[in-house]
Amino acid sequence: MDGIHDLGGKQGFGPVRYVRNAPAFHASWEVRANSLYAFAVRLGIFNMDEYRHAIERMEPRHYLAASYYERSLTGLATLLVEKGIATHAEIERLAGGRFPLAMPIGPGRGNAPARTRFAPGDRVRVRDEHVPGHVRMPSYIRGRTGMVVSESPAYPFPDAHAHGVAAEDEPTYDVRFRSEDLWPGSSDAALVHVGVFQSYLEPAA
Amino acid sequence: MEALQAALEARGLPASAAVEELGRLAQEQWIPQNGARVVARAWVDAAFRKRLLANGRDAVAELGIAMPKHHRHLVVLENTPTVQNVICCTQCSCTAFTVIGLPPDWYKDFEYRSRVVRESRTVLKEMGLELAPEVEIRVWDTTADTRYMVLPVQPPSTVGWPEERLASIVTRDSMIGVERL
């Protein structure tokens, strides 16, 4: 989905709020929030793709206003309800107030019907697709052309894995794009590398 | 937070014990000192460096550093005087957290995620890293479960130092690529 989480290349954001060697946590509840979702993953209540997608489905106003660990808890709560572990009413009763969940999940999809095996040096184009469910193709590479640099071991296909759709694991390709090709006339010169699932790619003409 | 923990407990799932155990791991074991040991070893041991660049996951395991099962590949990105690698996750917060430590706020925040892929040189400069024009920037967006870490250039003044002392100068931010040592 073209969600609010897909931030790469969006304009208008200010300076990075950088603190050198900043700690990973600021409060003990953050450590616990991080552990709680990891526990649910370890139990197999949901997988990482379902978890990421639950956060992506947060209503944008909520997503932008929430802290990182609030987003984490919202994803966890949403999945506990969707998986039948708890009800929304029970969570709100235990929390003693409103506990907004993410928006409902849409359809997933399986692997692309025709997939090509690529080799380093191949020119590839990212398919011009608009996907209603989970997808790990950042929109800034959609329809763009780059060069394969290497291949990673096969992973579960996120578009299926986040939705309980059966699919084959597939390789991801490290694809190198030039920033000028992604944002012509409107970026700092750099090479941008993205891990792109095979189903998202086609040979460049 | 308490509500969700209680909901899990109510189903007989031992959330409290797991939260304690995983919290300890997050604070004591998934720390940048792991990556720092990897970098220091790569600086002093050319054969290890070669193995690290060929297969990061296997090489860090030699130092007793594990990665979660779903991180099937660790790609180590070698900086040189004229190449600066920098990692990010534009869509969420992915990192090789068992190696370089859990990411700080700014890495997960909207400003870094939106801007570093498009305005890398400007963003790095704002963060205190001003690169000479001849330095090529390579940005790595962590969109799959392959993980990345940057191998910083060893400061020339530290050549000949013992490995442990070398590890003490390696920061998490240098392994993300927003700092040079």
Side-chain angles (χ1 to χ4, degrees):
Chain A
M1 61 184 275
D2 290 330
I4 192 69
H5 67 285
D6 186 11
L7 286 167
K10 292 280 188 299
Q11 294 179 292
F13 287 98
V16 177
R17 291 179 283 181
Y18 179 54
V19 177
R20 195 171 173 269
N21 289 319
F25 299 107
H26 301 285
S28 62
W29 78 267
E30 296 179 342
V31 183
R32 291 164 64 204
N34 191 64
S35 301
L36 210 51
Y37 100 78
F39 172 59
V41 171
R42 184 195 271 185
L43 287 180
I45 296 174
F46 50 82
N47 63 46
M48 284 302 298
D49 286 304
E50 291 174 306
Y51 170 69
R52 292 191 190 107
H53 190 47
I55 293 173
E56 294 165 5
R57 290 189 275 124
M58 286 173 70
E59 197 278 319
R61 203 186 306 266
H62 185 194
Y63 184 96
L64 289 173
S67 70
Y68 177 76
Y69 289 106
E70 182 181 339
R71 298 201 294 274
S72 177
L73 288 177
T74 306
L76 171 62
T78 300
L79 288 166
L80 291 182
V81 170
E82 290 176 354
K83 300 284 183 181
I85 304 288
T87 65
H88 193 191
E90 178 190 8
I91 290 171
E92 293 202 323
R93 181 174 57 72
L94 288 165
R98 258 189 95 233
F99 200 123
L101 302 179
M103 303 291 279
I105 191 165
R109 62 172 189 169
N111 313 95
R115 285 182 282 147
T116 309
R117 194 78 190 249
F118 298 106
D122 286 353
R123 300 281 299 165
V124 288
R125 182 173 175 272
V126 180
R127 293 175 199 260
D128 186 11
E129 291 177 327
H130 295 259
V131 179
H134 185 53
V135 61
R136 289 293 284 182
M137 176 214 65
S139 57
Y140 69 80
I141 62 169
R142 178 160 44 209
R144 302 298 184 182
T145 299
M147 191 182 78
V148 170
V149 174
S150 66
E151 179 181 320
S152 274
Y155 291 111
F157 185 49
D159 307 36
H161 204 225
H163 294 265
V165 172
E168 287 176 24
D169 286 7
E170 58 176 65
T172 62
Y173 292 96
D174 165 7
V175 181
R176 186 164 78 200
F177 300 89
R178 296 183 329 142
S179 58
E180 302 93 288
D181 293 337
L182 300 173
W183 302 282
S186 178
S187 63
D188 292 350
L191 298 173
V192 179
H193 291 250
V194 182
V196 190
F197 280 84
Q198 188 182 30
S199 281
Y200 306 157
L201 291 171
E202 59 192 8
Chain B
M1 159 77 232
E2 282 78 10
L4 299 180
Q5 192 167 327
L8 286 164
E9 291 281 353
R11 298 298 173 286
L13 303 169
S16 305
V19 160
E20 204 156 298
E21 182 213 331
L22 288 160
R24 222 175 13 251
L25 284 172
Q27 291 178 288
E28 294 170 16
Q29 298 219 9
W30 300 335
I31 52 176
Q33 286 80 353
N34 296 334
R37 281 166 50 216
V38 173
V39 170
R41 176 66 59 87
W43 283 346
V44 300
D45 180 342
F48 176 79
R49 183 189 191 99
K50 205 169 156 199
R51 293 198 295 281
L52 182 68
L53 295 172
N55 183 333
R57 200 185 149 95
D58 286 356
V60 301
E62 292 178 32
L63 303 187
I65 300 164
M67 296 181 69
K69 251 187 286 181
H70 69 278
H71 296 174
R72 296 184 186 172
H73 201 186
L74 175 68
V75 177
V76 177
L77 311 165
E78 189 177 28
N79 279 352
T80 72
T82 56
V83 172
Q84 179 68 29
N85 291 286
V86 56
I87 64 176
C88 65
C89 175
T90 58
Q91 299 182 91
C92 46
S93 59
C94 300
T95 43
F97 62 85
T98 62
V99 184
I100 68 170
L102 285 156
D105 291 335
W106 60 263
Y107 182 91
K108 305 177 283 194
D109 236 336
F110 310 132
E111 290 81 6
Y112 186 73
R113 285 165 51 192
S114 61
R115 295 181 60 214
V116 75
V117 283
R118 183 163 178 171
E119 302 174 70
S120 50
R121 195 171 293 267
T122 306
V123 167
L124 292 175
K125 186 178 171 189
E126 286 173 9
M127 295 172 76
L129 178 60
E130 187 158 5
L131 296 167
E134 65 271 21
V135 175
E136 177 181 276
I137 299 176
R138 299 179 188 166
V139 184
W140 300 76
D141 190 356
T142 315
T143 46
D145 276 326
T146 290
R147 292 294 180 262
Y148 306 99
M149 73 174 274
V150 174
L151 176 58
V153 175
Q154 179 175 7
S157 59
T158 66
V159 172
W161 285 16
E163 206 175 316
E164 223 166 274
R165 186 165 173 217
L166 288 172
S168 73
I169 66 161
V170 179
T171 60
R172 180 198 54 209
D173 295 0
S174 71
M175 295 182 283
I176 293 176
V178 297
E179 180 179 55
R180 292 198 140 199
L181 299 174

